[in-house]
Amino acid sequence: MHLHLVLCFSPVGDAFRQRLRMFPSLVNCTTIDWFSEWPSEALTSVARSFCADLELGPSQGSAAGVAAASAAGKDPQMDAVIAACVHIHTSVEHRSKLYYEELRR
């Protein structure tokens, strides 16, 4: 059996440098995973699969409109949640690129 830990540190400030000096194995004995960009369709598919069992409660709108959307298998609230997941992922990718271009680290 192996123990796997995920640690997230902010590289900003002196606290990170101090931790690295105190615990050099954080750098020497770790694996850093870099992930490639995912297309929006793939992110949407993953978000839809992870959110499939979520119950968001009653939808807003007219009863006829909600019933028609449910019958068609479309849930506007779920679509909004999935779109938010995709947006969060892509905006972090974008900000990471800007951070790297600006600070080169």
Side-chain angles (χ1 to χ4, degrees):
M1 296 222 161
H2 297 279
L3 174 66
H4 295 271
L5 288 175
V6 176
L7 302 173
C8 300
F9 292 105
S10 172
V12 178
D14 292 328
F16 183 65
R17 284 186 214 100
Q18 289 173 355
R19 280 191 201 103
L20 291 180
R21 286 187 198 114
M22 291 170 41
F23 306 103
S25 63
L26 285 174
V27 174
N28 299 331
C29 301
T30 59
T31 301
I32 299 173
D33 288 329
W34 295 96
F35 297 97
S36 300
E37 290 182 34
W38 284 34
S40 283
E41 297 81 20
L43 293 171
T44 301
S45 175
V46 170
R48 192 172 305 282
S49 132
F50 274 97
C51 295
D53 296 332
L54 287 180
E55 292 185 27
L56 300 176
S59 295
Q60 299 290 330
S62 70
V66 171
S70 294
K74 296 180 181 179
D75 183 1
Q77 285 181 328
M78 183 60 72
D79 291 342
V81 169
I82 290 168
C85 292
V86 171
H87 175 72
I88 289 167
H89 189 88
T90 55
S91 65
V92 167
E93 283 179 7
H94 177 71
R95 287 293 173 185
S96 296
K97 287 179 184 175
L98 291 176
Y99 178 80
Y100 178 75
E101 289 172 4
E102 202 172 293
L103 301 175
R104 290 289 177 210
R105 56 181 180 156

